[in-house]
Amino acid sequence: MRLLRSTDLALRVLMRLAVAGGSSPTTRDVADGMDVPYTHLAKVVAELQHMGLLEARRGRGGGLTLTEQGRTASVGAVVRAFEGSGDVVDCEGPTPCPLNAACRLRGALRRAQEAFFTSLDPVTVADIVAEPTGALLLGISRGADPRDGQAADLRDGQAADPRDG
């Protein structure tokens, strides 16, 4: 199974914000840091905001912050929301599959897809940014090579717990 680009970006935005500490990067800052088009990321941010997982403030002093709901959000729920409930294969497409009425593969793939989502349900955003990932993410988000010692500084207390807002 391959995730949609928007799903990938949503998870990466949540991870980035989970380690932001007291900073509130703008959507443009995050897009530049991820090397993705601003307009595409803005759509993802809008959906995450609609879901209550992040707050976006405009103007001076604005930016993106992860909500407590976002920090404890299930990765499975986020993936489901962005991937939708469609089938893994398109049996109904422009040229419908001739086996559609008696196909056993479609059901098996649907069960596999649900098992994939279910395996992600107990994993939270906070879980996926726990050490050593959190320090590495901070190094990347600052444009630094995490091997240059900056990540080591974070382990010594500057970044503390990623759940510390």
Side-chain angles (χ1 to χ4, degrees), residues 139-164:
I140 292 169
S141 67
R142 289 183 178 156
D145 184 336
R147 294 167 293 199
D148 72 2
Q150 191 170 14
D153 291 341
L154 298 172
R155 283 190 293 273
D156 292 336
Q158 286 183 353
D161 187 338
R163 292 166 288 215
D164 286 347

Side-chain angles (χ1 to χ4, degrees), residues 114-127:
E114 186 52 37
F116 171 73
F117 292 144
T118 300
S119 72
L120 293 174
D121 283 341
V123 181
T124 66
V125 171
D127 293 336

Side-chain angles (χ1 to χ4, degrees), residues 65-121:
T65 54
L66 191 65
T67 64
E68 186 56 33
Q69 182 181 347
R71 188 170 307 288
T72 61
S74 160
V75 172
V78 173
V79 172
R80 271 188 192 86
F82 276 85
E83 291 293 312
S85 59
D87 287 326
V88 176
V89 293
D90 185 14
C91 302
E92 311 286 330
T95 310
C97 177
L99 299 176
N100 200 9
C103 183
R104 299 179 70 133
L105 177 61
R106 187 178 192 179
L109 290 173
R110 188 175 295 128
R111 287 188 300 278
Q113 180 182 29
E114 186 52 37
F116 171 73
F117 292 144
T118 300
S119 72
L120 293 174
D121 283 341

Side-chain angles (χ1 to χ4, degrees), residues 10 13 25 48 77 115 124 139:
V13 166
L48 291 169
T124 66

